Amino acid sequence: MKYIGLNKSVVEAKDAVVSTLDHGFLYGMGLFETFRTYNGVPFLLRRHLDRLADGCRQLGIPFEPDEASLRDWITRVMDKNELKDAYIRYTVTAGEDILGLPAGDYSRPNHLLYIKELPRQPAALYSEGKGIQLLQLRRNTPEGPVRLKSLHYMNNILAKRELAGYASAAGGTEGLMLTAEGNIAEGIVSNIFFISNEVLHTPDLATGILPGITREMVLKLAPAAGLRVEEGLYRWEQLQAADEVFLTNSVQEIVPVTTLWHGDEALTVGTGRCGAHTAQLITLYRERTGEPV
């Protein structure tokens, strides 16, 4: 990443700096969105901006979404980095303020665009799937009524550190966290779904999970795949009994899960390959992105 977007400009990475008094740095007061492009076009950008705007309102950070302006800025940063397609992180920090906890709104936010080459995913990932490792670390509760995609990422980083200690990590597994009550929450960087008896299940937002943009789209696509949708409270044992399991995020899309790890014990999901319903959802999703299916 040679160039970074900073407050609508494009600068060399070494010159992209913010103040040490930025409350994003001091107190984690800031939000971000991660998404990707298809043929140079950011996917579901309006939905990402809507979520970002809602979060900024809750944090008292001034933010007016301007989709056309952001698309232009993204293109300029991509061009400087000589990228045709990209992984994009758009961050809005609270900006510089007093050393202390303010009661009022912020006034000088910083906007940053981190853009890098898309991680290359082997085609086999979407047919052979990947594993998930049940973690001992519990998902923390959100700071407010609904989890924001905020700069508070210690829980996720600690989860990543725990995952690295398992033998399964060498195979590229995702870590799965439960709530304090023992219900399924979400992955370190993903939402989770499972299918049993033609019903698509995913944890309810009441568990404190992030309301993922790809999660939202999958829920809308489910009826076209012949699935009834249910959001609720689920246990690890229900995953173990599921016909199909998959993960979602904006960069990897829909990824089948074919192995469940609990400690060093592994359980195969279904046939050990991408299930029929998951494959249909992948097709429906990619039809909307314009990617080959």
Side-chain angles (χ1 to χ4, degrees):
M1 189 183 335
K2 296 180 181 178
Y3 294 91
I4 288 177
L6 176 62
N7 295 327
K8 303 303 179 183
S9 65
V10 183
V11 300
E12 289 191 52
K14 64 181 178 62
D15 297 324
V17 296
V18 296
S19 168
T20 55
L21 290 176
D22 190 306
H23 277 206
F25 169 69
L26 285 176
Y27 305 116
M29 290 297 287
L31 301 169
F32 71 98
E33 292 289 330
T34 54
F35 47 92
R36 59 167 291 179
T37 64
Y38 293 89
N39 298 315
V41 179
F43 187 55
L44 297 177
L45 184 57
R46 170 49 56 181
R47 286 295 304 117
H48 284 282
L49 287 178
D50 287 345
R51 182 170 69 176
L52 183 58
D54 182 62
C56 283
R57 279 191 295 272
Q58 294 182 51
L59 299 183
I61 299 173
F63 178 76
E64 291 296 332
D66 184 339
E67 187 173 350
S69 175
L70 181 57
R71 286 181 184 275
D72 175 71
W73 188 25
I74 287 170
T75 298
R76 287 189 287 121
V77 181
M78 287 178 60
D79 287 347
K80 288 291 285 186
N81 284 293
E82 299 180 342
L83 294 173
K84 299 298 183 184
D85 272 309
Y87 164 103
I88 300 167
R89 171 174 161 150
Y90 178 29
T91 300
V92 179
T93 76
E96 186 175 341
D97 212 305
I98 62 169
L99 182 60
L101 305 182
D105 289 349
Y106 292 98
S107 60
R108 294 173 290 174
N110 283 306
H111 298 247
L112 298 100
L113 272 180
Y114 303 91
I115 293 181
K116 66 178 183 179
E117 185 176 4
L118 273 171
R120 298 187 182 278
Q121 307 297 340
L125 176 65
Y126 299 96
S127 58
E128 299 173 12
K130 68 187 301 180
I132 56 173
Q133 175 77 54
L134 180 62
L135 301 177
Q136 294 182 27
L137 181 72
R138 296 303 169 103
R139 190 62 166 125
N140 63 345
T141 55
E143 292 85 357
V146 177
R147 186 176 299 279
L148 304 179
K149 201 169 178 67
S150 77
L151 304 186
H152 299 272
Y153 247 59
M154 188 181 296
N155 190 231
N156 301 67
I157 292 172
L158 290 175
K160 190 75 171 180
R161 289 174 63 85
E162 181 187 338
L163 178 62
Y166 291 102
S168 66
T173 55
E174 163 72 314
L176 178 70
M177 291 179 279
L178 305 180
T179 66
E181 296 76 24
N183 296 312
I184 295 167
E186 58 191 340
I188 299 173
V189 293
S190 61
N191 289 122
I192 188 163
F193 292 80
F194 68 94
I195 300 169
S196 293
N197 300 319
E198 311 296 316
V199 179
L200 178 66
H201 302 268
T202 197
D204 192 274
L205 295 182
T207 58
I209 63 172
L210 181 76
I213 302 299
T214 307
R215 173 187 183 274
E216 180 184 82
M217 172 165 273
V218 166
L219 292 175
K220 292 179 179 177
L221 293 175
L227 295 168
R228 184 165 60 85
V229 171
E230 181 183 293
E231 300 175 67
L233 304 179
Y234 306 109
R235 312 296 282 193
W236 173 253
E237 292 75 19
Q238 289 171 273
L239 272 190
Q240 293 177 308
D243 302 321
E244 302 177 40
V245 180
F246 63 87
L247 302 169
T248 62
N249 69 33
S250 293
V251 175
Q252 291 189 334
E253 305 169 336
I254 299 169
V255 178
V257 171
T258 49
T259 309
L260 303 177
W261 290 88
H262 187 183
D264 292 328
E265 296 182 3
L267 174 71
T268 300
V269 177
T271 63
R273 295 182 62 83
C274 178
H277 287 301
T278 303
Q280 191 171 4
L281 285 168
I282 291 172
T283 296
L284 291 168
Y285 187 89
R286 290 184 175 171
E287 284 175 353
R288 281 149 182 80
T289 68
E291 281 289 279
V293 295

